Amino acid sequence: MKLSAESLGYLIHRCTQTKSLTPGLSLHAVALKSGIAADAIVSNHIINLYSKCDRIAFAHNLFDEMPDRNVVSWAALISGYHHVKKPVITLQLLKRMPFAANESILASVISACAGAELLALGRQVHARAVVVGCGDHCYVGNALISLYMKCGHCGNALGVFGGNGFVSNTVTYNILIAGFVENGRAEKGIGLFREMCDGGFVVDHFTYTAVLRACTDVGDINGGLQLHCRTIKLKLDSTTFVGNVIITMYSKFECVEEAEKVFRTIDEKDIISWNTIITVLSQGADCTKGLDVFRELLKEKNVKPDDFSFSSILAACADEASIYHGKQIHAHMMRTRIDHDVGVENALVDMYAKCGCIRYTHKIFNLMKHPNLISWNCIIAAFGNHGLGKHALALFEQMKERHVRPDCLTFTSLLIACNHAGLIDEGMSLFDSMVDVYGISPDLMHLSCLVDMLARAGRLDEAERYMKRFPSGEEDPVVLGSLLSACWLRGQTVTGERLGEQLLKFPSASTSPFVLLSNLYASDKMWSGAAEVRRILKGSGLKKEPGYSLVEVHGRVEKFTVGDLSHSRIKEMKDVLCTIRLKEDELIHL
């Protein structure tokens, strides 16, 4: 049976809608054999098929072979190049086109320019749209608003929006609201949302995602709650697109339970849903919930964990110093994944370092094919925090040999390494090289590390000189506190008293400055001064946070706080301690 041009065109159109390239190729072959391929309608459908299936070269070849091209042919090819994000070619085709450009073609070219943020080219098309009388058309106007918003020109976008003859719709408001949020003007976006509702426009899931982000940015939790209620009424909260944004909003407001409830209501969770809730739960007080959700993800058939999933859960293990779970996740990765993203490898290095396994840390780093700056910073910090300052400095030399340029975090890790290892001269040399060699201005963290390092070594005069070189140093409680602590240790009462009085001028969030100054007075038997500081501390309302220890047993982390006897198995613990004490007494008597 011979197919007509109309029937064949319809079938190719269906293949385009479903992006079914293989059946479409077969239909193209049928068109060639039957001689229908020369028909402009059929050829246009085939160009559209190849364009939508990312075979733009095939589309362009067919376009060049067409004996009679019409405006639809040009529109299909221009739309194809817009689809594959090649705005320059779309503009070249627009200039070559022998027909007057219609609103669909102009919108495609402008959208291509918006995708690549090519403002100058977009302005050229805008001018052409105005000349041909399409500047106020809805499709063209929306594309122009998108262009100007993506290029940060909010005023031009509003100019198109308020132009004479332009009729806005829901898409217009969605582009404007999202654009203002992206450009850091969330309050303006919220105002447009109210204007949109007052104007009777239909609010869809794109609108809600943009406005929810706006409420998150401005810290408006009440507005976010109201929007969440609206999405529940419209049954949008259970959709992946909106649900993910609501989870993110609650996570920013630290409403962990609400975020988890929204996650459970989403019907078809994608990997973004899983990654968002794992990150939220892992950053909370109890990271075991994040681990539980990660186990759920591993059991899912339709969704598999990606690099971000593993990085997030490994970061949670690192924060809790949970080597038990960290090793299990690493073993799972080795069984199921051949290659790892550098971000995942960095997370592994960080996890083993924070769990105290410096050998594993170094081994994983050495196995990395392409370590980046973060990788080097992680391994240098690992050795530095473990008191292996010379190893950290050796790694820094290797880093320079591989032409990896250090940043401010690199020097923070190096200064901490020198501090822990007592490498004073090396630390001072590194601090001075920041500006002299690398052009990096030291910040308060670097200054604090250097001052603390010099003060611990008893070189208080040098520490104070460095502090005075940076005006902000004399106003930073951490820097002053480091010097005050050293004064107490070295018995420098006069200098310590001066620093303590200076430190107490600043509002304090902890009791440390008061305790240090009180101890300094007491060490020199200046009891009245010590009593006065204690009185000020009592009046401030500050209380020392009780110390605690974390013990991991079979993957479960137990927290023991000073003075807290509320543990469910406290009686058993007391009995064991009594037994140990009795055995200790027996050994002493022996």
Side-chain angles (χ1 to χ4, degrees):
M1 184 180 74
K2 188 175 180 180
L3 289 171
S4 65
E6 290 78 8
S7 301
L8 194 59
Y10 172 77
L11 291 172
I12 296 169
H13 177 64
R14 291 291 296 164
C15 291
T16 304
Q17 289 179 320
T18 57
K19 294 187 178 179
S20 304
L21 180 61
T22 304
L25 288 167
S26 300
L27 291 169
H28 188 185
V30 170
L32 289 168
K33 286 181 181 179
S34 60
I36 306 177
D39 185 272
I41 295 174
V42 174
S43 294
N44 291 342
H45 278 300
I46 297 171
I47 290 171
N48 200 29
L49 167 72
Y50 287 142
S51 299
K52 294 297 188 292
C53 294
D54 296 328
R55 297 295 189 274
I56 193 65
F58 292 176
H60 206 145
N61 288 339
L62 179 58
F63 176 82
D64 289 338
E65 293 170 0
M66 286 180 68
D68 298 309
R69 306 183 196 103
N70 56 24
V71 69
V72 178
S73 313
W74 287 90
L77 189 63
I78 288 171
S79 177
Y81 275 107
H82 163 225
H83 181 70
V84 297
K85 297 179 174 59
K86 292 190 176 181
V88 177
I89 299 178
T90 62
L91 189 60
Q92 290 171 352
L93 289 168
L94 179 65
K95 290 177 178 178
R96 282 175 48 202
M97 191 173 66
F99 305 98
N102 58 25
E103 59 274 5
S104 176
I105 293 172
L106 290 167
S108 292
V109 178
I110 295 167
S111 297
C113 294
E117 298 183 14
L118 297 174
L119 181 62
L121 291 178
R123 286 187 188 278
Q124 291 179 34
V125 187
H126 187 180
R128 182 159 180 173
V130 172
V131 169
V132 299
C134 294
D136 293 330
H137 192 278
C138 186
Y139 291 157
V140 176
N142 288 342
L144 285 169
I145 291 170
S146 179
L147 166 73
Y148 288 127
M149 279 298 186
K150 286 184 178 178
C151 295
H153 289 247
C154 301
N156 292 124
L158 284 175
V160 175
F161 175 68
N164 293 328
F166 179 73
V167 180
S168 56
N169 57 15
T170 297
V171 176
T172 312
Y173 276 99
N174 288 348
I175 296 169
L176 279 169
I177 295 168
F180 277 114
V181 174
E182 290 295 327
N183 283 283
R185 297 175 61 184
E187 291 182 355
K188 179 67 176 176
I190 294 171
L192 279 167
F193 173 69
R194 295 194 185 101
E195 181 183 315
M196 180 183 183
C197 294
D198 293 341
F201 290 92
V202 176
V203 178
D204 60 13
H205 57 289
F206 289 107
T207 318
Y208 280 113
T209 53
V211 186
L212 283 163
R213 288 194 182 102
C215 290
T216 305
D217 288 352
V218 299
D220 183 8
I221 188 169
N222 290 326
L225 287 168
Q226 291 176 20
L227 290 168
H228 185 191
C229 292
R230 288 194 185 192
T231 61
I232 292 171
K233 289 179 181 179
L234 297 171
K235 297 182 179 179
L236 290 173
D237 64 314
S238 57
T239 63
T240 310
F241 193 59
V242 177
N244 289 346
V245 179
I246 297 174
I247 294 171
T248 303
M249 178 191 73
Y250 281 127
S251 70
K252 293 288 174 66
F253 294 128
E254 298 182 359
C255 302
V256 179
E257 289 184 11
E258 286 75 8
E260 190 174 4
K261 286 176 185 176
V262 175
F263 171 76
R264 298 299 176 190
T265 62
I266 297 175
D267 296 327
E268 296 180 5
K269 304 174 183 68
D270 62 6
I271 191 60
I272 297 173
S273 314
W274 288 97
N275 286 347
T276 306
I277 196 62
I278 287 170
T279 304
V280 171
L281 295 174
S282 299
Q283 290 174 349
D286 183 11
C287 81
T288 54
K289 285 187 177 180
L291 288 162
D292 291 339
V293 174
F294 182 74
R295 289 191 193 97
E296 289 181 46
L297 172 59
L298 294 178
K299 295 175 184 176
E300 283 287 312
K301 294 180 179 179
N302 299 325
V303 184
K304 297 298 177 187
D306 61 5
D307 291 328
F308 189 87
S309 314
F310 285 107
S311 298
S312 299
I313 200 64
L314 285 168
C317 294
D319 290 340
E320 290 291 317
S322 177
I323 190 66
Y324 179 85
H325 290 116
K327 279 187 172 181
Q328 285 188 336
I329 293 164
H330 188 191
H332 176 82
M333 288 166 56
M334 292 175 70
R335 288 194 305 269
T336 59
R337 297 165 69 88
I338 299 172
D339 295 315
H340 304 305
D341 177 76
V342 67
V344 178
E345 293 175 323
N346 290 341
L348 278 169
V349 169
D350 186 54
M351 185 272 294
Y352 279 118
K354 288 180 177 175
C355 292
C357 303
I358 195 66
R359 287 186 180 178
Y360 278 114
T361 303
H362 201 193
K363 184 177 180 179
I364 290 167
F365 177 79
N366 287 334
L367 291 172
M368 292 177 70
K369 295 177 181 177
H370 304 289
N372 58 14
L373 176 59
I374 297 171
S375 314
W376 287 100
N377 286 350
C378 282
I379 191 67
I380 289 171
F383 276 104
N385 290 329
H386 283 77
L388 302 169
K390 290 185 177 179
H391 287 80
L393 293 176
L395 282 163
F396 181 57
E397 293 301 319
Q398 292 178 31
M399 178 180 172
K400 290 191 291 185
E401 288 171 8
R402 298 195 188 184
H403 306 291
V404 179
R405 186 174 178 81
D407 64 358
C408 56
L409 293 176
T410 314
F411 284 100
T412 300
S413 300
L414 287 166
L415 289 169
I416 290 171
C418 291
N419 191 358
H420 288 178
L423 303 172
I424 313 302
D425 293 333
E426 291 86 343
M428 292 176 68
S429 176
L430 284 166
F431 186 87
D432 293 335
S433 73
M434 287 180 66
V435 175
D436 297 341
V437 179
Y438 300 101
I440 299 172
S441 298
D443 58 23
L444 280 172
M445 179 61 75
H446 301 114
L447 179 62
S448 177
C449 290
L450 181 69
V451 168
D452 187 57
M453 179 174 62
L454 290 168
R456 285 174 184 269
R459 296 161 69 166
L460 293 173
D461 292 338
E462 288 179 80
E464 200 164 2
R465 277 201 301 272
Y466 268 104
M467 183 183 72
K468 288 178 179 178
R469 276 174 53 186
F470 298 87
S472 56
E474 295 183 272
E475 299 177 358
D476 183 65
V478 177
V479 176
L480 291 169
S482 297
L483 274 175
L484 178 59
S485 177
C487 289
W488 172 56
L489 290 170
R490 301 287 171 179
Q492 298 283 344
T493 309
V494 177
T495 304
E497 186 177 9
R498 175 170 52 79
L499 291 169
E501 289 175 357
Q502 190 175 347
L503 185 58
L504 292 182
K505 293 177 182 178
F506 303 105
S508 179
S510 72
T511 60
S512 298
F514 298 95
V515 174
L516 279 172
L517 188 56
S518 174
N519 290 342
L520 179 72
Y521 283 132
S523 66
D524 205 35
K525 297 182 180 181
M526 299 171 66
W527 307 118
S528 59
E532 176 63 17
V533 173
R534 293 282 179 181
R535 186 189 65 77
I536 296 170
L537 172 60
K538 190 175 181 180
S540 69
L542 293 170
K543 291 185 179 180
K544 187 177 185 299
E545 186 179 345
Y548 63 87
S549 297
L550 296 175
V551 180
E552 185 178 16
V553 182
H554 300 303
R556 181 183 176 86
V557 178
E558 299 285 355
K559 183 178 180 179
F560 298 96
T561 305
V562 174
D564 182 12
L565 302 177
S566 62
H567 196 280
S568 59
R569 301 180 66 182
I570 191 67
K571 189 177 183 304
E572 295 175 62
M573 294 176 198
K574 285 183 176 180
D575 292 341
V576 171
L577 286 171
C578 288
T579 304
I580 293 170
R581 194 174 294 118
L582 286 171
K583 289 185 177 180
E584 185 181 352
D585 291 341
E586 290 174 10
L587 288 170
I588 291 170
H589 289 303
L590 287 173

